[in-house]
Amino acid sequence: MFLVVLAGCGASSQKRAFEYMPDMARDPAYKAFAPSPVTRDGLTLQRPVAGTIARGYSPMHYGTGDDEAARAGRELQNPYAATPKTLEEGKALFETYCLVCHGASGKGDGPLAEKIPHPPTYTSDRVKPFPEGRIFHVITTGSGKMPSYAAQLSADERWKVVTYVHTLQQMADDAASAQPGDLK
Ligand code: HEC
């Protein structure tokens, strides 16, 4: 005992003192994929509790297919109004993720359109009447050959894209009904 006390106090101020009981100052951490003697399944990395929702992620309780898409269209509301800021953000996201197939004005004539089954124009008889919630559903779950964009775009970003797509549909309307005299 006497020796230990000497060793602890005798170190010079330049050298770290001898530690005889570091308590938990430096605890050995398990590696994520190493076995663990304390968990029930013997794994260190544990699954999240059932029903856990990742931060910033909003789950969508709709399946795929036309019926579910139509239900989403009836039930989901776009939290964003078509303000210039939202449209600008929606446009930037659209041009990053959708233009490549759907084309800048949503006519289904993007640079990739030849390589995949032609995407429909947003003003087709089928897509034109889609409520915003249904377009959100398409982006979230994908449709036919179109993949889901839920991993690339957060729910908020998807709604901004929806707002922009909706505007593209209306712009096409205005262009169709415009008379030569209306052109500014
Ligand atoms: C890889 C090419 C590709 C990309 C990128 C893409 N789409 Fe599509 N999209 C398609 C194809 C192909 C279809 C037709 C799918 C089908 O037959 O249901 C489609 C269909 C749609 C439809 C109509 C769905 C229906 O039920 O008729 C909407 C709306 C749509 N896309 C929106 C978007 C938006 C918004 C984005 C960007 C987030 C996007 N798409 C990105 C290829 C693409």
Side-chain angles (χ1 to χ4, degrees):
M1 182 64 193
F2 181 67
L3 271 181
V4 168
V5 170
L6 264 189
C9 307
S12 78
S13 54
Q14 256 83 54
K15 278 172 85 188
R16 183 186 280 167
F18 173 71
E19 270 180 303
Y20 65 95
M21 277 178 80
D23 290 333
M24 294 173 76
R26 274 169 285 285
D27 53 337
Y30 282 101
K31 293 254 187 317
F33 295 102
S36 164
V38 291
T39 55
R40 281 193 202 116
D41 57 4
L43 304 176
T44 297
L45 193 63
Q46 296 289 292
R47 282 179 194 286
V49 176
T52 303
I53 295 169
R55 216 167 153 171
Y57 174 81
S58 19
M60 195 172 79
H61 305 286
Y62 297 99
T64 51
D66 266 356
D67 288 350
E68 287 293 282
R71 192 159 72 85
R74 285 192 302 275
E75 294 173 357
L76 296 177
Q77 292 295 325
N78 188 348
Y80 288 94
T83 61
K85 183 168 180 288
T86 300
L87 287 175
E88 194 185 311
E89 289 172 25
K91 180 174 191 227
L93 293 166
F94 177 87
E95 289 179 347
T96 306
Y97 294 101
C98 321
L99 183 150
V100 65
C101 294
H102 285 275
S105 50
K107 294 205 182 80
D109 56 356
L112 263 192
E114 298 302 324
K115 310 252 188 282
I116 47 163
H118 261 273
T121 142
Y122 290 150
T123 48
S124 69
D125 290 346
R126 176 182 160 84
V127 182
K128 183 83 203 302
F130 280 7
E132 290 186 290
R134 180 153 186 177
I135 303 177
F136 182 86
H137 181 274
V138 173
I139 308 175
T140 308
T141 63
S143 169
K145 287 273 187 297
M146 174 181 153
S148 154
Y149 281 86
Q152 290 89 335
L153 297 164
S154 69
D156 278 339
E157 290 171 330
R158 274 173 263 153
W159 279 120
K160 288 175 188 172
V161 172
V162 169
T163 313
Y164 183 69
V165 168
H166 204 63
T167 319
L168 284 181
Q169 295 175 313
Q170 287 162 348
M171 269 160 42
D173 258 359
D174 295 346
S177 61
Q179 299 299 311
D182 294 343
L183 295 173
K184 290 179 192 111

